[in-house]
Amino acid sequence: MADTTLPVIEGALLKVAHDKGFATARDRLEVMSPQCGFGELGTCCRICYMGPCRIDPFGNGPKTGVCGLTPDAMVARNLLRDTVGGTASHVGHARHVLLTLRDALNGKAPYQVKGVSKVMALAKTFGVPTEGREVNDICRDLVNIALEDFGRQDELPNNWVSKRAPAAEQALWSDLGLMYSNPHNEIETAMHATSMGNDADPVSLMLRVLKMSLIDGWTGLTLCVDLQDILFGVPEIAVTEAAVGVLEENSVNLAAHGHNPVLSEKILEWAEKLEGEALAAGAERINVVGVCCTGNELSMRHGVKLAAHNSQTELILATGAVDAMVVDIQCIWPQLAQVAKCFDTAFITTDAMVRIPDARHIPFEPHHADESARQIVQAAIDAFRRRRGKPVDIPQHKSTAVAGLSVEAIIDLLSKLDAEDPLKPVIDNVANGNIFGFVGVVGCSSIKFRDNAMTEEMVKHLLRQNVLVLTTGCTAHICAQDGLMTSEATYRYCGDGLKAVLVVLGKAAGLDGPLPPVWHMGACVDNSRIVDLMVALAERLGVKVGQLPAVGSAPELVQEKAVSIGGSFLALGVSCHIAPAPRILGGPMVTKLLTEDLQELTGAVVRVELEPKGAADWMVAHIAGKRAALGI
Amino acid sequence: MSRTIFTVVENCVACKSCEIACAVEHSQSKTLAGAILETPPPQRRINVEGVGAYSYPSRCQHCSDASCITACPTGAMQRDCGTDAVFSDSNKCIGCWMCVVVCPFGGVTADQSSKKALKCDRCPERTARGEAPACVAACPTGTLLYLTPEEFAAQRRQATARAAVCGEQPAQTNGMDILRSLKGAN
Ligand code: SF4
Ligand code: SF4
Ligand code: SF4
Ligand code: SF4
């Protein structure tokens, strides 16, 4: 057990909550513990009504389900349903962005194309002619190519995977039968195959898990991010601040929480437009702050400050200083409405799919985006009027953080060192060991792992060993709050090799000091940016992505989305560390498949490590193995 | 008076959390993830018995006048002088199963792999740390309670007194009761 303690920000927030008499997720977890062993092992099946069936893990009770399903098939089937949940979330988000872009191009939704460079890049990828054409026309072609993916019944490979994914990996996926056509059909097939009396072969089911994860990777993430960049612009390096201290006592604090920039971009726009009303209400300004992934989106594109990661959401409400929290989709705890009720906070749901008792619902859809956004910002100002003058309790912790490291921003920066061959400085430094390797730290923040600062400590162990960390999602919030996205962190935590590289890059970027050692690459959907960077490096080196000295890590897994994202890394041959254990341990064959045998199929394995140092050590050793295989 | 385990049978929803927790507590690693990899696998000492739509978590009652101790020819079955828990010393146990025969509750398991008597030991390591036994801590419905007989009786007295005076229901209706009434079973 590492000698670490609760991060100071969490400690301060918990104190605020407890002083005011709120029970928090920690308290609820304590009452919930110990949690059901069958559930943890994945050997509980409630798919049909002869069940629920539970397999005795110690061999004294039932050995199969009532229908005869084996424990391996049971855990594989449950895992597949997890990945369906994750993939459906991202694919749903992607489709929403696609339809918004389509409607914007047809003049039916008040959004403009801001990412012209992305349009041009994608036109090249998809073979769309650009000569003498309007940007919007080119965009319409891209939209039609994407729409085709959602409508086809011809079993031809999906456009976004066949044009965007690297060729060598596609050949492997074809051999394994993992290439997909229409994502919706595959989600349907997976639900069908996992209902009672269908696929009972654990190997077949696990291949379905990989296939579902690929869909998440290329349609859920890549397509979504490509189109978001078209609509809202490609992120550029921006300096921001993170942690609860970004709330301002005398401003209208409007927290945007959720995942979809289609909402939060409009909120930001209307917050600027209604600034005058806020001043008239006695506020210094409207302070839009970001929570969870939509916060990451806003900070990547506009430098908006980051107030809280997922497991802090109820805690920042307990400060009494949030005037409105507006949410869209995913990771919205129902508890938030209950905490908001105790203050003047307007807790506002916007999506028909996310209805929460005691929340105020202001429907938001792209066609009437301006009207709804205005109403939402107005609600925040009204709430400020009611709050004004009442005591608030804002722990004064925050850190600066560099965000906005899209692949384009990184290449742009590297071009200043070598305009001809921008990736060369990275490749050279990987070869000489200054950069020992890369870890993509992704996923959620879990109260089960916050007490020993799992993510922060693991990342510091990696940096000491010259591993560059790329992060997204709530782990990005954690790193930002802990000051890991600053120049000081480079001096303080990095090994000498990595430090030297980051000093040079910082100078090239025109920063005051070195580039931070942890690169904020966006929200959960932006994991495709990490993949894009890896693909670019692999192509430049002429190797497969799985041969790179790179590992993925979800050190505080919470959401099903993290399971399918992890699966998409595995399909690419990138091994993954994960904590807590996925719910497969009750199936010995499936456990062995993921932790050992997958090596033979895609070149990747899964590793569970619950302690930060153990996790970092395993990843460094794994990277060392990859380096040795490359002869560097 | 020592604390022991009491069962409020009407609360049991047959989730078997107690069974898993008991086996994990009697494993080498004391964690679920570690326990499922151990050979031989750790064994539970509590069994959730089904009776129609009802369930009953059955284990050793740690009798004050324990027939298993009397019947045991080698002195393997004995009482812990500190906690009053009845336990079996596997070094002395010869696998004659006399305890299995005489226990009125079926509280002793004749373990076929070790040829030793296995029974609830009331989790001495946990209770020494001031924690409740593993099954009690794991039970999500308050079926298993770790109390002295005096405390348990006092709770029951209060409940019946409130029922008599204020007309309160002594036991709360729970989800399982609703299921049973729907099924009309037993
Ligand atoms: S599908 Fe099989 S294992 Fe699952 S609940 Fe039904 S009978 Fe049990
Ligand atoms: S094993 Fe049976 S007889 Fe012995 S103490 Fe337990 S319940 Fe009583
Ligand atoms: S008290 Fe301990 S040994 Fe006895 S049944 Fe409960 S968990 Fe098992
Ligand atoms: S844990 Fe409690 S409710 Fe569940 S089976 Fe055991 S006694 Fe019954």
Side-chain angles (χ1 to χ4, degrees), chain A residues 118-153:
Chain A
K118 194 72 166 207
V119 176
M120 294 306 168
L122 288 170
K124 199 165 158 217
T125 305
F126 286 92
V128 173
T130 54
E131 260 319 290
R133 298 182 73 196
E134 295 267 336
V135 171
N136 280 11
D137 279 337
I138 305 169
C139 245
R140 261 182 217 107
D141 285 1
L142 290 170
V143 162
N144 286 333
I145 293 169
L147 283 171
E148 186 182 44
D149 275 348
F150 286 96
R152 63 192 326 152
Q153 298 294 335

Side-chain angles (χ1 to χ4, degrees), chain A residues 546-592:
Chain A
Q547 290 173 273
L548 292 174
V551 190
S553 169
E556 304 192 23
L557 163 76
V558 174
Q559 245 266 13
E560 290 168 321
K561 293 181 291 174
V563 179
S564 48
I565 292 169
S568 73
F569 280 24
L570 295 177
L572 271 170
V574 177
S575 294
C576 289
H577 156 254
I578 181 176
R583 295 181 184 133
I584 55 165
L585 298 181
M589 193 245 258
V590 170
T591 304
K592 185 162 170 296

Side-chain angles (χ1 to χ4, degrees), chain B residues 154-166:
Chain B
Q155 283 189 5
R156 280 283 149 113
R157 282 198 296 273
Q158 260 297 311
T160 34
R162 296 183 78 87
V165 177
C166 345

Side-chain angles (χ1 to χ4, degrees), chain A residues 268-436:
Chain A
L268 194 61
E269 187 183 323
W270 277 91
E272 278 160 26
K273 288 186 180 154
L274 297 186
E275 185 91 7
E277 287 204 32
L279 297 181
E284 284 172 9
R285 64 191 202 97
I286 301 182
N287 181 32
V288 175
V289 296
V291 172
C292 247
C293 276
T294 212
N296 287 325
E297 299 276 4
L298 289 179
S299 78
M300 289 284 283
R301 295 200 178 83
H302 306 281
V304 163
K305 294 174 183 176
L306 297 167
H309 54 66
N310 191 253
S311 62
Q312 296 169 334
T313 47
E314 63 182 327
L315 303 178
I316 60 160
L317 292 189
T319 62
V322 178
D323 296 300
M325 179 177 270
V326 57
V327 304
D328 48 53
I329 49 167
Q330 301 167 15
C331 307
I332 319 293
W333 293 5
Q335 181 67 18
L336 299 178
Q338 299 310 313
V339 182
K341 255 190 351 190
C342 306
F343 299 95
D344 299 305
T345 307
F347 179 72
I348 304 166
T349 54
T350 56
D351 194 295
M353 199 184 69
V354 183
R355 295 302 298 260
I356 297 175
D358 291 321
R360 174 158 174 210
H361 192 72
I362 302 181
F364 179 94
E365 40 77 30
H367 291 193
H368 305 99
D370 285 317
E371 222 170 288
S372 307
R374 190 195 54 72
Q375 227 183 318
I376 291 161
V377 176
Q378 192 65 58
I381 298 171
D382 293 345
F384 173 82
R385 254 192 219 103
R386 292 191 295 274
R387 167 175 75 86
R388 209 180 146 201
K390 292 186 192 165
V392 293
D393 202 347
I394 308 172
Q396 290 304 308
H397 296 282
K398 63 182 176 185
S399 171
T400 51
V402 174
L405 282 117
S406 59
V407 177
E408 290 84 344
I410 294 166
I411 301 277
D412 203 40
L413 170 58
L414 294 172
S415 304
K416 294 179 183 158
L417 294 174
D418 189 334
E420 291 293 294
D421 188 358
L423 290 176
K424 187 162 181 294
V426 175
I427 306 271
D428 290 347
N429 279 296
V430 171
N432 68 21
N434 276 344
I435 300 175
F436 192 70

Side-chain angles (χ1 to χ4, degrees), chain A residues 45-53 65-69 74 77 196:
Chain A
C45 179
R46 349 172 254 110
I47 279 172
C48 91
Y49 282 76
M50 292 190 288
C53 295
V66 174
C67 66
L69 193 76
M74 197 179 277
R77 220 160 65 161
M196 196 272 267

Side-chain angles (χ1 to χ4, degrees), chain B residues 11-19 46 48 55 57 135 138-141 143-144:
Chain B
N11 282 358
C12 181
V13 295
C15 68
K16 304 192 181 194
S17 300
C18 50
E19 289 188 355
I46 183 166
V48 180
S55 54
C135 56
C139 178
T141 63
T143 301
L144 300 173

Side-chain angles (χ1 to χ4, degrees), chain B residues 4-138:
Chain B
T4 189
I5 298 167
F6 288 91
T7 305
V8 185
V9 63
E10 58 270 32
N11 282 358
C12 181
V13 295
C15 68
K16 304 192 181 194
S17 300
C18 50
E19 289 188 355
I20 288 208
C22 180
V24 170
E25 177 61 21
H26 294 85
S27 70
Q28 304 293 323
S29 69
K30 307 243 192 265
T31 66
L32 178 62
I36 59 159
L37 301 173
E38 287 171 20
T39 15
Q43 304 295 305
R44 63 171 189 256
R45 290 103 206 274
I46 183 166
N47 290 284
V48 180
E49 294 293 315
V51 185
Y54 291 81
S55 54
Y56 178 79
S58 168
R59 22 142 275 284
C60 163
Q61 292 295 123
H62 298 276
C63 313
S64 306
D65 182 3
S67 41
C68 58
I69 298 180
T70 314
C72 179
T74 68
M77 197 63 83
Q78 51 193 288
R79 187 179 304 281
D80 184 285
C81 52
T83 65
D84 279 349
V86 176
F87 73 101
S88 161
D89 177 349
S90 62
N91 292 323
K92 291 188 187 159
C93 176
I94 55 169
C96 69
W97 313 139
M98 285 306 290
C99 53
V100 178
V101 172
V102 299
C103 173
F105 301 98
V108 188
T109 307
D111 182 47
Q112 291 309 308
S113 55
S114 65
K115 305 286 180 207
K116 305 282 182 188
L118 274 191
K119 66 178 289 299
C120 167
D121 56 11
R122 226 159 60 193
C123 296
E125 292 173 35
R126 291 181 60 94
T127 50
R129 292 194 300 263
E131 292 168 15
C135 56
V136 175

